[in-house]
Amino acid sequence: MPEKFTEIPLERPHTPLLDQVSTPADMRTFTEEELVRLADELRAHLLYSVGKSGGHFGAGLGVVELTVALHRVFNTPTDRLVWDVGHQAYPHKILTGRRQALMDVRKEEGISGFPKRSESKFDTFGVGHSSTSISAALGMAIAARMDRLDRRVVAVIGDGAMTAGMAFEAINHAAHTDARLLVVLNDNNMSISRNVGGLATYFSKIWSSRTYNNIREGGKKVLKAIPSAAAFVRKTEEHLKAMVAPGIVFEELGFNYIGPIDGHDLPLLLQTLDNLKDLNEPVLLHTITRKGQGFLPAEDDPIGYHALNKIEPKPEPGTPPAKPKGPKYQQVFGDWLCDMAEADDRLVGITPAMCEGSGMKAFSERFPERFHDVAIAEQHALTFAAGLACEGKKPVVAIYSTFLQRAYDQLIHDVALQDLDVLFGIDRAGVVGEDGATHAGSFDLSYLRCVPNMVVMAPSDENEARRMLYTGYRYPGPAAVRYPRGTGPGTAIEEAMTALPLGQGVIRRQGRGVAILNFGALLTAALSAGEAINATVADMRFVKPLDRGLVDDLAARHELLVTVEDNVVMGGAGAAVSEHLAMMETVVPILHLGLPDRFIEHATRNAQLAEAGLDAAGIQSAIKDRLSRLRAGRRAAP
């Protein structure tokens, strides 16, 4: 259990209430006092289990009371509860029959770190990317109305996720449907809230009360025949609410806004939700929570404690110290960004809410006037970069591969079509380990290389990443460097800025018979396989433009070409090689190794690569099998 855990003393004489809860129905007979105890026990178990397994941490601690209240008031899973992103869903998993399974969360064969429909009937919508909850919940609410079901639908969305345009698109639509939808805005960063005090709480109790809402609904019916009077009353209500609460924007969009209220006051949450559950209109409840609530280090550092690594036991005396790891690719990117910014004052760094994860913290501190965190707004990030490029600046967009998918139209329409000078540092390319399929960057080589004007590079080590970033920065058009999560093979990094010749690969090992064409971070595995079978190994470096001359040379001298990439096979770098050979009417056997045509579930990155046959043993085995079939076919030929 983490140190300094002194905030939640449990009353030992009591039988743990959490032991009595296998589904939310088990807690619906608890008294209010027992529910408060249950919340304390739930928080304690979350601290213990995440310390054992690792995983998302701070967000879950912040919604313990809210989770208890939602499952107590609403008849889940008949009533639908939709979590946004899922970082905060660990308490939900504990209360819905996965308490013991949480010990193996995000491990191979263990439960997912995010809500997942195939995992539990209580997980109504699978998530990983933010800001989808309101859209999905609205769809569920409309479906319930079409089927004439007495079903309530609740979406829980954080203040960060609310910054995405998709959330407001859904809110705007919901207001025109009169759907039976409750949106709970879990505000844990004070980015929206103000006036969180006695007066706001007092008015929130009034606005959520059954008496007030009965009068409100009756007034609507009476004034329906007098549109001008109805509009006047509506505006008066909005302005009164705006005096003590920040919800005027939601009122203007057509939601009945309630709040803000203390999201850790369980009795208040229970009373408010019970009052709101039967309203037949879109309602937004604004709750104020504290990320990391109940664990002081997480409260003081919510970013650092967003997730925890597994707490390892202390090594035995005399155990040799672990070999220090080299820098992560994210740090290589961040160091290069600072060095480049020193050399060129045109550089502007952009990230959609991934400053720390993308290695941009030092840049944000050293060059704050040239750093822009645009929040969870990937589409805006790219078009914002395009606007900067139009005016002679050099924008560098740091973005996860899986999140770049959300801005594909902007990539094509706003950047590539206009041939604008934007560099993309694409992080978390390929499989990403424990975060699983929702966060895997499995498709970027396929969806980037088909876009005109793009240059696409895939470094095989840390120094290649630095050189490619500089190459892409110097290129006068859209360019992308894609690199994986975590550390590389430990190659020394040259401090000097050195560009690569555009579209040129390099031979790393000379062999016979088989040529392995590696694209990106799997070079170490490709070299190991090449050593075992005496194959030629080429580091292709560029997916686009492809080194066609090198491909032609390798095809002329080898009986089998093998492409290796940490990307789906379909449409990927290997497909580019086959397309070129077909255009040149070159007939040579070719084997494409990459990610299969299915989503790879969470495990360690090494385990995921082994499952896909992309470790050294898998590459070697696939080549031997293909050679065996080729040679058997030749022997059988007349």
Side-chain angles (χ1 to χ4, degrees):
M1 186 176 294
E3 296 179 0
K4 301 184 182 179
F5 175 55
T6 58
E7 291 82 1
I8 312 169
L10 299 181
E11 299 178 35
R12 297 300 176 191
H14 292 286
T15 301
L17 291 167
L18 197 56
D19 288 349
Q20 304 173 37
V21 178
S22 57
T23 71
D26 297 327
M27 58 181 244
R28 290 182 186 135
T29 59
F30 289 179
T31 65
E32 192 172 279
E33 181 183 353
E34 287 173 326
L35 289 172
V36 172
R37 278 180 49 211
L38 177 68
D40 289 344
E41 293 176 14
L42 181 56
R43 181 170 279 113
H45 184 76
L46 180 62
L47 282 161
Y48 174 77
S49 60
V50 175
K52 289 286 187 182
S53 65
H56 294 110
F57 185 65
L61 289 174
V63 295
V64 166
E65 288 82 8
L66 179 59
T67 305
V68 170
L70 287 168
H71 279 298
R72 166 60 182 265
V73 171
F74 293 94
N75 183 30
T76 56
T78 300
D79 290 337
R80 305 305 198 212
L81 178 56
V82 182
W83 295 94
D84 208 283
V85 184
H87 296 152
Q88 73 273 47
Y90 284 20
H92 160 80
K93 287 178 181 268
I94 293 171
L95 292 178
T96 54
R98 288 165 282 180
R99 178 182 173 188
Q100 293 304 316
L102 198 67
M103 297 295 187
D104 293 317
V105 67
R106 303 170 81 239
K107 295 179 183 176
E108 190 171 5
E109 304 299 328
I111 64 172
S112 171
F114 301 97
K116 189 174 181 181
R117 281 170 54 84
S118 61
E119 188 178 289
S120 170
K121 62 184 179 181
F122 290 92
D123 291 359
T124 60
F125 196 72
V127 290
H129 292 183
S130 83
S131 316
T132 61
S133 60
I134 304 175
S135 297
L138 178 59
M140 294 175 187
I142 296 297
R145 186 169 70 188
M146 292 173 67
D147 292 338
R148 302 183 188 279
L149 296 175
D150 182 23
R151 171 176 292 155
R152 300 157 183 85
V153 182
V154 183
V156 183
I157 185 169
D159 57 315
M162 190 64 89
T163 63
M166 184 176 178
F168 281 92
E169 290 171 15
I171 286 173
N172 183 60
H173 179 206
H176 296 288
T177 65
D178 289 326
R180 191 179 192 180
L181 173 66
L182 171 62
V183 175
V184 178
L185 172 56
N186 171 36
D187 184 353
N188 59 28
N189 200 33
M190 304 299 286
S191 62
I192 298 174
S193 37
R194 59 180 173 86
N195 294 335
V196 185
L199 187 62
T201 300
Y202 172 73
F203 276 108
S204 295
K205 287 181 177 179
I206 293 176
W207 295 331
S208 67
S209 69
R210 285 195 170 91
T211 301
Y212 174 83
N213 281 288
N214 286 338
I215 294 171
R216 186 173 182 270
E217 291 304 307
K220 278 184 182 179
K221 293 175 182 177
V222 171
L223 294 172
K224 200 170 185 180
I226 316 173
S228 58
F232 174 77
V233 171
R234 172 72 176 171
K235 287 294 182 184
T236 301
E237 181 186 41
E238 289 176 5
H239 290 137
L240 286 172
K241 287 186 176 183
M243 292 172 64
V244 293
I248 186 64
V249 64
F250 302 111
E251 291 279 340
E252 289 287 354
L253 287 169
F255 268 66
N256 180 10
Y257 172 88
I258 306 295
I261 66 172
D262 183 354
H264 300 298
D265 185 338
L266 185 53
L268 177 59
L269 283 171
L270 291 167
Q271 177 187 347
T272 304
L273 289 171
D274 192 56
N275 287 337
L276 297 179
K277 69 178 182 180
D278 291 323
L279 294 184
N280 291 307
E281 64 177 337
V283 179
L284 187 137
L285 172 63
H286 187 175
T287 65
I288 306 301
T289 62
R290 185 176 179 87
K291 199 170 183 179
Q293 174 75 10
F295 182 56
L296 291 179
E299 291 181 14
D300 294 337
D301 183 12
I303 294 175
Y305 281 87
H306 171 70
L308 283 183
N309 292 323
K310 178 182 177 181
I311 299 175
E312 301 290 351
K314 291 182 179 180
E316 295 292 330
T319 303
K323 183 181 178 181
K325 295 182 178 180
K328 295 181 178 180
Y329 280 100
Q330 294 72 33
Q331 184 181 335
V332 174
F333 169 79
D335 291 345
W336 170 83
L337 191 66
C338 289
D339 293 344
M340 197 70 244
E342 286 278 11
D344 188 352
D345 60 10
R346 297 178 304 139
L347 187 151
V348 179
I350 302 167
T351 179
M354 289 289 118
C355 174
E356 287 80 12
S358 292
M360 298 183 76
K361 191 170 190 302
F363 175 81
S364 70
E365 293 169 349
R366 289 178 57 186
F367 305 94
E369 74 286 354
R370 289 194 270 160
F371 169 73
H372 295 274
D373 184 340
V374 302
I376 303 174
E378 294 87 358
Q379 294 170 297
H380 165 62
L382 267 67
T383 305
F384 171 56
L388 285 164
C390 285
E391 299 302 321
K393 302 305 178 186
K394 182 69 184 192
V396 179
V397 179
I399 189 167
Y400 290 10
S401 172
T402 185
F403 298 152
L404 182 56
Q405 295 164 186
R406 309 185 83 180
Y408 193 52
D409 179 63
Q410 286 68 32
L411 174 74
I412 296 173
H413 182 272
D414 298 337
V415 177
L417 183 64
Q418 304 183 85
D419 200 18
L420 292 175
D421 197 4
V422 179
L423 174 62
F424 297 91
I426 302 178
D427 193 358
R428 270 66 167 181
V431 292
V432 294
E434 291 82 358
D435 279 344
T438 60
H439 281 57
S442 306
F443 312 105
D444 54 76
L445 294 185
S446 300
Y447 70 67
L448 287 172
R449 77 172 192 86
C450 63
V451 178
N453 295 330
M454 287 292 304
V455 168
V456 184
M457 295 168 274
S460 57
D461 61 45
E462 301 91 331
N463 193 51
E464 288 282 278
R466 182 176 173 90
R467 296 183 70 185
M468 287 181 182
L469 287 164
Y470 183 59
T471 303
Y473 191 84
R474 289 186 55 191
Y475 178 74
V481 181
R482 59 98 74 173
Y483 43 87
R485 180 181 187 181
T487 57
T491 304
I493 301 173
E494 301 168 5
E495 187 174 342
M497 297 282 193
T498 308
L500 297 172
L502 197 67
Q504 288 189 24
V506 61
I507 299 292
R508 298 292 189 185
R509 185 187 188 280
Q510 286 286 0
R512 297 179 57 190
V514 176
I516 303 174
L517 288 69
N518 173 76
F519 293 88
L522 301 179
L523 179 62
T524 300
L527 284 169
S528 295
E531 288 284 346
I533 61 174
N534 192 27
T536 297
V537 179
D539 183 7
M540 298 302 295
R541 289 175 163 169
F542 291 84
V543 178
K544 186 179 183 180
L546 182 68
D547 191 339
R548 296 181 174 88
L550 182 55
V551 172
D552 292 338
D553 175 64
L554 294 171
R557 297 189 293 111
H558 297 83
E559 65 174 314
L560 174 65
L561 298 187
V562 181
T563 64
V564 177
E565 61 189 298
D566 187 4
N567 184 85
V568 291
V569 169
M570 286 197 289
V577 174
S578 286
E579 289 164 10
H580 169 70
L581 293 172
M583 182 177 67
M584 300 302 295
E585 299 183 356
T586 301
V587 179
V588 60
I590 187 164
L591 170 64
H592 295 311
L593 300 180
L595 300 178
D597 184 26
R598 58 182 171 80
F599 294 106
I600 296 180
E601 297 300 336
H602 52 277
T604 65
R605 176 172 159 83
N606 286 338
Q608 290 174 323
L609 290 174
E611 179 189 340
L614 294 176
D615 58 349
I619 294 170
Q620 182 181 339
S621 175
I623 293 172
K624 285 183 174 180
D625 179 66
R626 183 59 181 272
L627 282 174
S628 175
R629 288 186 286 114
L630 275 175
R631 290 163 183 169
R634 288 172 190 154
R635 287 193 298 269

